[in-house]
Amino acid sequence: MNVFVLNDHYHCCPSSFSVPPNARNFRPSELDETSITLQWNNINYYVNFVLQFNGTETFISAPYGNGPVTHTVSTLTARTRYTFTLFSVSENIRSNGVNITAVTGPSYIVGMDLKLNSQRNLSESEIEDVLAEFYKQYGLPQFSLKVRKVKP
């Protein structure tokens, strides 16, 4: 960093750019048999993005506004696992990148037998919220969830 003294005040001018932060909350938001829509938080309008998968790179311009960024990858193969790496880019400097894995459809109905321990009794909707947040945290696809209590 260069520092000048001008009228007894210090003024700094950066001589190099820093690495931009990684995008946060990078996850699949919608899935079907042939496409995956990815979503992440926008950083700011100075930071663009590069999405890597299957040996290709796609440049994604920084959108205006503070809302989430979405990008749909289409013409995919059904029931296939894909790994995506998202880089933040500023002044041609890339972040370390974040990775997620997502699988194309078709959709399935899944029955699960879970035993949960809690310090207090939870309502069915509270259990649904906890499970949905758990699956979201681990980057699993968006889904609908209905909890039903069954006596043994």
Side-chain angles (χ1 to χ4, degrees):
M1 185 177 300
N2 300 326
V3 178
F4 317 116
V5 177
L6 181 63
N7 297 334
D8 295 329
H9 296 296
Y10 291 94
H11 298 277
C12 298
C13 300
S15 60
S16 64
F17 296 99
S18 60
V19 175
N22 282 320
R24 293 178 35 169
N25 295 324
F26 181 40
R27 61 182 164 59
S29 64
E30 294 180 36
L31 303 160
D32 63 30
E33 290 184 7
T34 60
S35 69
I36 298 173
T37 298
L38 304 168
Q39 183 174 335
W40 61 91
N41 293 359
N42 192 13
I43 296 172
N44 64 44
Y45 56 86
Y46 294 112
V47 177
N48 297 306
F49 304 95
V50 170
L51 179 67
Q52 275 184 352
F53 87 102
N54 280 2
T56 65
E57 289 192 348
T58 303
F59 179 81
I60 302 165
S61 296
Y64 292 105
N66 293 328
V69 181
T70 58
H71 179 77
T72 300
V73 180
S74 55
T75 64
L76 300 175
T77 304
R79 293 179 303 281
T80 302
R81 178 181 305 270
Y82 292 93
T83 299
F84 299 94
T85 303
L86 182 68
F87 298 94
S88 304
V89 182
S90 179
E91 300 295 329
N92 292 322
I93 299 173
R94 289 186 182 194
S95 68
N96 295 333
V98 287
N99 296 306
I100 62 165
T101 300
V103 180
T104 51
S107 299
Y108 294 98
I109 296 174
V110 176
M112 296 176 10
D113 184 13
L114 296 174
K115 183 176 181 179
L116 303 173
N117 292 321
S118 174
Q119 293 181 351
R120 65 178 181 87
N121 286 334
L122 299 173
S123 70
E124 289 179 10
S125 64
E126 288 174 315
I127 294 170
E128 290 169 4
D129 291 343
V130 167
L131 289 172
E133 185 59 35
F134 173 80
Y135 285 111
K136 180 181 170 185
Q137 179 180 358
Y138 287 95
L140 297 171
Q142 185 178 5
F143 63 94
S144 60
L145 175 68
K146 177 64 180 148
V147 171
R148 187 173 57 130
K149 292 181 184 177
V150 179
K151 292 186 179 189

